[in-house]
């Protein structure tokens, strides 16, 4: 089995984070939309968090390109 679970997780979180970040930037000036969240742009904040986590997972997947059964690699 050569599938590393970090690839699909990283891609999913990066894609959702990118979509939320774009939506957060697109609705940045809409005060009515963010009135319920104490005027905090939640979409932008969580979009950036998800994007960073997805990039981290992808970086960890790319770092471990060796044989998964090799000694010393977990």
């Amino acid at each position: 089995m050569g599938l590393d679970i970090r690839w699909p997780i990283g891609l999913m979180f990066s894609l959702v984070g990118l979509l939320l970040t774009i939506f957060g930037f697109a609705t940045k000036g809409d005060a009515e939309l963010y009135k319920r969240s104490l005027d905090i742009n939640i979409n932008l904040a969580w979009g950036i968090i998800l994007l960073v986590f997805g990039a981290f997972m992808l970086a960890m997947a790319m770092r471990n390109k060796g044989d998964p059964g090799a000694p010393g690699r977990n």
Side-chain angles (χ1 to χ4, degrees):
M1 297 290 248
L3 179 64
D4 188 0
I5 192 68
R6 291 174 286 200
W7 281 108
I9 289 174
L11 288 172
M12 181 195 68
F13 275 97
S14 295
L15 180 65
V16 172
L18 183 65
L19 289 173
L20 273 176
T21 303
I22 291 170
F23 184 74
F25 275 124
T27 60
K28 197 170 186 178
D30 190 4
E32 186 66 31
L33 182 64
Y34 296 109
K35 185 179 275 189
R36 290 176 43 189
S37 64
L38 303 175
D39 293 328
I40 298 171
N41 193 342
I42 291 295
N43 295 318
L44 181 60
W46 274 103
I48 291 171
I49 290 169
L50 291 176
L51 194 57
V52 167
F53 178 71
F56 174 73
M57 292 297 281
L58 288 173
M60 290 296 107
M62 284 189 277
R63 194 184 93 182
N64 191 16
K65 282 190 175 182
D67 182 23
R73 293 220 176 204
N74 293 334

